[in-house]
């Protein structure tokens, strides 16, 4: 054809993929792997991308081996599915779009070209509609339990509309076969891993810090469908009992509604706020209402894995051997803050037929230990870790932090900092920061102290009934009053403690402001906390500076703020430094 000649006519639509069955099967395998949290989802996704780029029809799975990311396993699965498809639909079953187009052309030989393309488009539409399937989580899976739990919580009168992670995990566990906190044997994924799939499918929304989870409109519709199906299954043979229960509940709901309608608008608002607040407390108490009875738990020492691996391995293994020699029950795990702590672990009986016993509940006792050798103390002071570690220990939620300092004999004389500086840092930790400091000479004395502390705590909590408390509800006055009756027996769960102590987790504006202030020379944790009580964010501090009438007043704005136990003034020098940092472009003076 000459280059200047233009070919007229309708351009034929090119199908997106000539192998729709293979594409559909691979998509199903990928979605199934993603729902279970398996890494094979990425392998299937790569195979899908390769298949979409291939323009020719494939007769079987073996031919697909020429494509990138297609191995023996995927080809074998495709062949098995193809064999099953042919067995169900006959040996002449259509497997790709080219065959579909040829069959439609042969079926109507006398029809004009303009009318041939209709059935092709219809076939294309049918195939594309088959590929789009609504996501429905498997029954008693993690996604299924999360959707149902959030839906039921949303249907409660006075519901706050969202749930925190801990209460959501606790409520949803009864609806799920897998654990939300402990992975299965040979896997690192839990039932909670399916939450990321729900977020990707736009069924769930995660907001705020600490995280709050709530359903989207699509998630609410799917959860309502799952809830109605479960109700149909549960109702079944028991009709009389359900009618009696529903009639009783219905009467209560009608009465509450009538009372609300009789009130004024102002009363309605206050009542709804009060009911929402009480509902929050109710859900919090229900999520954290479990307890451990005396004799149903054991006190276990938890050792951070860093204390047993890396560095001088012989020195660290000596700690483990000494603990074993002393008969201490201990467990090595990752601790996000501190080096040693103790948990009350529920005693569980092994289930016949299961390889591992069920996972027991754990509550963290209020004692936590940060261990420091003199060389480590010197290094942490130089690089700034020492102040940060003390700050994180104060905010971890445990009431009795302990610093365990190993003197290391004459080794302190050969360090980068003078020994007097190190001794002053230790004294400041005890006097200013309020930590209990225990000095020992070597690893054996450290192990002896850990052994004595373990036996002391075992005796202390021997006849105590331990209750679980949540830090997420500490802002509610009624909850705090209920928890302060016996502080020593009101403890956090280990999951909440360790998750809340993550070093690089998402931080609030207030926390970032505090970290900024503590980078200024002379601003300790107490001084930063005192400033935050009056000005919680940078924005509020800048507004206060704007309201000042003169430059002198701005420089002295923070000078009279009281900090620490002695209630000393922050001082004009530090106040001027902070003002210059946030309000002037000139160098600090």
């Amino acid at each position: 054809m000459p280059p200047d000649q233009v070919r007229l006519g309708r351009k034929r639509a090119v199908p997106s993929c000539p192998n729709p069955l293979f594409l559909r099967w691979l998509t199903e395998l990928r979605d199934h792997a993603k729902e279970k949290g398996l890494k094979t989802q990425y392998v299937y996704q790569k195979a899908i991308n390769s298949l979409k780029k291939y323009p020719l029809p494939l007769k079987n799975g073996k031919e697909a081996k020429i494509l990138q990311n297609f191995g023996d396993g995927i080809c074998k699965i495709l062949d098995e599915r193809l064999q099953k498809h042919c067995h169900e639909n006959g040996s002449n079953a259509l497997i790709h779009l080219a065959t579909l187009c040829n069959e439609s052309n042969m079926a109507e030989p006398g029809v004009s070209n303009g009318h041939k393309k209709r059935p092709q488009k219809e076939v294309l539409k049918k195939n594309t509609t088959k590929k789009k399937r609504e996501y429905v989580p498997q029954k008693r899976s993690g996604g299924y339990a999360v959707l149902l739990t959030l839906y039921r919580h949303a249907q409660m009168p006075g519901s706050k509309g969202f749930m925190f992670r801990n209460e959501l995990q606790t409520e949803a566990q009864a609806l799920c076969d897998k654990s939300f906190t402990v992975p299965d044997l040979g896997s690192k994924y839990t039932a909670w891993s399916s939450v990321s799939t729900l977020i990707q499918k736009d069924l769930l929304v995660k907001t705020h810090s600490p995280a709050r989870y709530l359903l989207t409109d699509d998630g609410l519709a799917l959860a309502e469908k799952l809830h109605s199906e479960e109700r149909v299954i549960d109702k079944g043979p028991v009709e009389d009992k359900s009618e009696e229960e529903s009639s009783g509940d219905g009467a209560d709901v009608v009465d509450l509604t009538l009372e609300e309608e009789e009130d004024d608008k102002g009363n309605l608002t206050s009542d709804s706020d009060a009911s929402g607040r009480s509902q929050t407390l109710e859900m919090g108490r229900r999520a954290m209402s479990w307890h451990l009875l005396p004799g149903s738990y054991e006190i276990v020492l938890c050792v951070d894995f860093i204390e047993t691996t890396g560095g001088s391995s012989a020195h660290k293994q000596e700690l483990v051997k000494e603990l074993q020699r002393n008969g201490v029950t201990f467990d090595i795990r990752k601790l996000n803050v501190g080096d040693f702590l103790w948990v009350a672990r529920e005693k569980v009986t092994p289930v016949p037929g299961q390889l591992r016993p069920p996972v027991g509940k754990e509550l963290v006792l209020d004692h936590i230990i940060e261990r420091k050798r003199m060389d480590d103390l010197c290094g942490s002071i130089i690089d700034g870790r020492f102040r940060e570690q003390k700050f994180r220990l104060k905010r971890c939620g445990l009431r009795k932090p302990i610093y365990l300092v190993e003197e290391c004999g004459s080794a302190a004389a050969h360090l980068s900092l003078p020994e007097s500086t190190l001794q002053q840092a230790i004294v400041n930790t005890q006097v200013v920061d309020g930590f209990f400091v225990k000095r020992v000479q070597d690893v054996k004395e450290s192990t002896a102290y850990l052994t004595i502390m373990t036996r002391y705590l075992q005796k202390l909590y021997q006849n105590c009934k331990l209750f679980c408390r949540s830090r997420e509800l500490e802002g509610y006055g009624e909850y705090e009053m209920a928890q302060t009756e016996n502080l020593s027996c009101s403890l956090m769960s280990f999951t909440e403690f360790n998750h809340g102590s993550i070093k690089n987790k998402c931080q609030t504006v207030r926390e970032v402001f505090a970290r900024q202030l503590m980078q200024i020379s002379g601003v300790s944790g107490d001084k930063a906390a005192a400033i935050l009580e009056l000005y919680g964010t940078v924005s509020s501090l800048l507004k206060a500076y704007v309201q000042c009438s003169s430059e002198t007043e701005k420089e002295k704005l923070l000078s009279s703020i009281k900090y620490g136990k002695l209630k000393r003034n922050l001082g004009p020098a530090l106040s001027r430094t902070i003002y210059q940092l946030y309000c002037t472009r000139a160098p600090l003076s």
Side-chain angles (χ1 to χ4, degrees):
M1 182 185 293
D4 57 342
Q5 184 177 350
V6 179
R7 185 174 179 178
L8 302 176
R10 182 181 296 175
K11 188 176 180 181
R12 187 168 63 181
V14 179
S16 59
C17 179
N19 302 285
L21 279 179
F22 289 174
L23 183 63
R24 188 178 74 189
W25 292 337
L26 287 173
T27 305
E28 290 174 358
L29 291 169
R30 181 201 62 190
D31 293 341
H32 184 66
K34 186 183 289 186
E35 184 179 339
K36 288 192 171 183
L38 302 176
K39 287 188 176 180
T40 50
Q41 59 176 303
Y42 306 112
V43 180
Y44 291 129
Q45 184 59 53
K46 290 179 182 178
I48 289 170
N49 295 338
S50 298
L51 186 62
K52 285 180 179 178
K53 295 175 184 177
Y54 191 66
L56 302 178
L58 299 169
K59 294 181 181 179
N60 50 47
K62 191 174 181 181
E63 286 190 1
K65 197 171 180 181
I66 63 173
L67 301 180
Q68 191 178 8
N69 301 308
F70 275 79
D72 294 333
I74 292 180
C75 295
K76 184 179 178 182
I77 292 173
L78 292 178
D79 280 331
E80 289 175 355
R81 293 227 176 176
L82 182 60
Q83 187 178 1
K84 184 180 178 182
H85 177 74
C86 294
H87 179 72
E88 293 175 353
N89 302 288
S91 58
N92 296 323
L94 309 180
I95 63 171
H96 42 68
L97 288 179
T99 311
L100 290 173
C101 297
N102 293 335
E103 290 292 332
S104 61
N105 291 338
M106 291 175 65
E108 299 179 3
V111 185
S112 63
N113 292 336
H115 295 284
K116 278 183 184 178
K117 293 178 182 177
R118 273 188 178 177
Q120 291 178 15
K121 287 183 179 180
E122 290 174 3
V123 171
L124 283 170
K125 286 180 181 178
K126 286 181 182 178
N127 286 329
T128 52
T129 52
K130 281 184 181 178
K131 282 188 280 186
K132 292 181 181 178
R133 294 200 314 162
E134 182 187 2
Y135 170 76
V136 179
Q138 188 178 358
K139 189 171 183 180
R140 296 196 66 80
S141 65
Y144 176 88
V146 168
L147 286 175
L148 268 184
T149 304
L150 285 171
Y151 174 76
R152 292 174 180 176
H153 175 264
Q155 300 307 309
M156 290 182 174
S159 169
K160 59 183 181 289
F162 62 86
M163 294 183 76
F164 293 112
R165 172 172 175 158
N166 283 317
E167 59 178 329
L168 180 55
Q169 287 179 340
T170 307
E171 292 286 324
Q173 188 60 70
L175 300 172
C176 183
D177 293 331
K178 290 180 66 176
S179 172
F180 274 93
T181 54
V182 182
D184 290 338
L185 186 64
S187 172
K188 64 177 183 179
Y189 298 100
T190 64
W192 186 253
S193 304
S194 58
V195 169
S196 59
T197 305
L198 297 178
I199 294 174
Q200 290 173 2
K201 300 283 185 183
D202 292 328
L203 302 173
L204 193 68
V205 176
K206 176 184 175 183
T207 61
H208 292 79
S209 177
R212 299 177 180 181
Y213 298 89
L214 59 152
L215 293 173
T216 62
D217 293 338
D218 294 339
L220 193 62
L222 178 57
E224 187 176 3
K225 180 180 175 183
L226 296 175
H227 181 68
S228 60
E229 289 176 359
E230 181 152 316
R231 283 184 62 189
V232 170
I233 295 172
D234 292 344
K235 271 186 179 180
V238 192
E239 293 182 356
D240 297 333
K241 184 177 179 180
S242 63
E243 287 177 2
E244 290 174 5
E245 289 176 356
S246 63
S247 63
D249 294 338
D252 293 340
V253 172
V254 170
D255 290 338
L256 287 171
T257 308
L258 289 174
E259 287 176 6
E260 286 183 0
E261 289 177 354
E262 292 171 0
D263 291 338
D264 296 329
K265 288 185 179 179
N267 292 336
L268 277 173
T269 307
S270 60
D271 288 347
S272 62
D273 292 342
S275 63
R277 186 180 180 85
S278 63
Q279 186 65 31
T280 304
L281 290 170
E282 176 83 20
M283 290 300 299
R285 287 196 189 99
R286 219 164 66 187
M288 297 295 169
S289 61
W290 57 273
H291 56 269
L292 298 177
L293 296 173
S296 66
Y297 59 87
E298 58 179 346
I299 305 300
V300 179
L301 170 66
C302 294
V303 182
D304 186 21
F305 76 102
I306 297 296
E307 294 297 310
T308 61
T309 57
S312 56
S313 56
H315 175 77
K316 293 188 175 183
Q317 285 301 318
E318 185 180 354
L319 174 74
V320 176
K321 291 178 182 178
E322 286 293 326
L323 288 173
Q324 291 174 343
R325 191 177 294 116
N326 293 344
V328 177
T329 305
F330 67 95
D331 185 22
I332 299 174
R333 60 179 74 177
K334 178 177 173 57
L335 302 179
N336 291 322
V337 63
D339 297 322
F340 305 95
L341 56 83
W342 288 265
V343 297
R345 186 166 63 189
E346 181 185 18
K347 296 178 182 177
V348 291
T349 55
V351 179
Q354 288 190 4
L355 181 63
R356 299 171 65 186
V359 180
K361 299 174 182 177
E362 291 182 334
L363 293 175
V364 186
L365 306 188
D366 273 328
H367 297 74
I368 182 170
I369 292 179
E370 179 72 26
R371 176 188 175 205
K372 286 289 182 189
R373 286 167 51 92
M374 275 296 185
D375 51 354
D376 184 26
L377 177 63
C378 177
S380 63
I381 291 174
I382 293 172
D383 60 22
R385 284 183 295 117
F386 184 56
R387 186 167 60 173
E388 184 205 6
Q389 285 173 346
K390 290 192 292 184
F391 182 72
R392 292 178 62 217
L393 279 171
K394 284 183 179 180
R395 297 181 67 254
C396 72
L398 303 186
R399 305 180 184 97
K400 298 178 181 178
I402 301 171
Y403 253 85
L404 184 62
V405 181
E406 289 184 9
E407 301 285 353
C408 302
S410 60
H414 306 285
L415 298 176
S416 304
L417 295 176
E419 187 176 358
S420 59
T421 303
L422 299 179
Q423 296 296 340
Q424 185 63 52
I426 295 171
V427 171
N428 289 344
T429 301
Q430 185 167 10
V431 177
V432 179
D433 299 312
F435 288 80
F436 177 77
V437 176
K438 174 65 179 177
R439 295 171 182 256
V440 294
Q441 292 298 323
D442 51 20
V443 180
K444 287 188 177 181
E445 287 194 13
S446 296
T447 311
Y449 180 71
L450 293 172
T451 304
I452 293 170
M453 279 294 297
T454 303
R455 291 170 183 166
Y456 163 74
L457 292 173
Q458 287 172 346
K459 186 176 180 181
L460 180 66
Y461 289 93
Q462 187 174 8
N463 298 315
C464 293
K465 181 179 179 181
L466 306 181
F467 297 89
C468 180
R469 65 180 170 91
S470 174
R471 294 188 72 186
E472 292 169 352
L473 297 176
E474 286 182 355
Y476 293 95
E478 299 171 23
Y479 181 80
E480 288 183 341
M481 286 176 62
Q483 293 295 328
T484 50
E485 293 178 1
N486 192 348
L487 289 176
S488 62
C489 297
S490 175
L491 308 171
M492 271 193 297
S493 67
F494 178 79
T495 306
E496 181 184 3
F497 163 78
N498 219 28
H499 181 265
S501 304
I502 296 175
K503 187 174 183 179
N504 295 323
K505 67 173 184 176
C506 295
Q507 295 179 327
T508 62
V509 177
R510 183 184 178 91
E511 290 172 338
V512 174
F513 186 30
R515 291 174 72 94
Q516 284 182 355
L517 290 172
M518 291 181 65
Q519 299 308 310
I520 302 172
S521 178
V523 179
S524 62
D526 290 336
K527 293 178 181 178
I531 296 172
L532 288 173
E533 285 183 6
L534 293 178
Y535 309 104
T537 62
V538 179
S539 176
S540 61
L541 179 60
L542 294 178
K543 287 179 182 177
Y545 281 133
V546 170
Q547 293 174 0
C548 294
S549 57
S550 63
E551 194 77 12
T552 307
E553 186 179 354
K554 292 178 181 179
E555 290 182 354
K556 295 182 179 180
L557 177 66
L558 307 178
S559 60
S560 59
I561 293 179
K562 308 290 184 182
Y563 73 92
K565 294 180 180 178
L566 301 178
K567 298 300 178 184
R568 293 179 176 174
N569 290 334
L570 207 62
L574 200 54
S575 177
R576 183 174 59 254
T577 302
I578 295 173
Y579 164 67
Q580 290 180 351
L581 177 65
Y582 286 103
C583 296
T584 63
R585 296 184 180 181
L588 300 182
S589 59

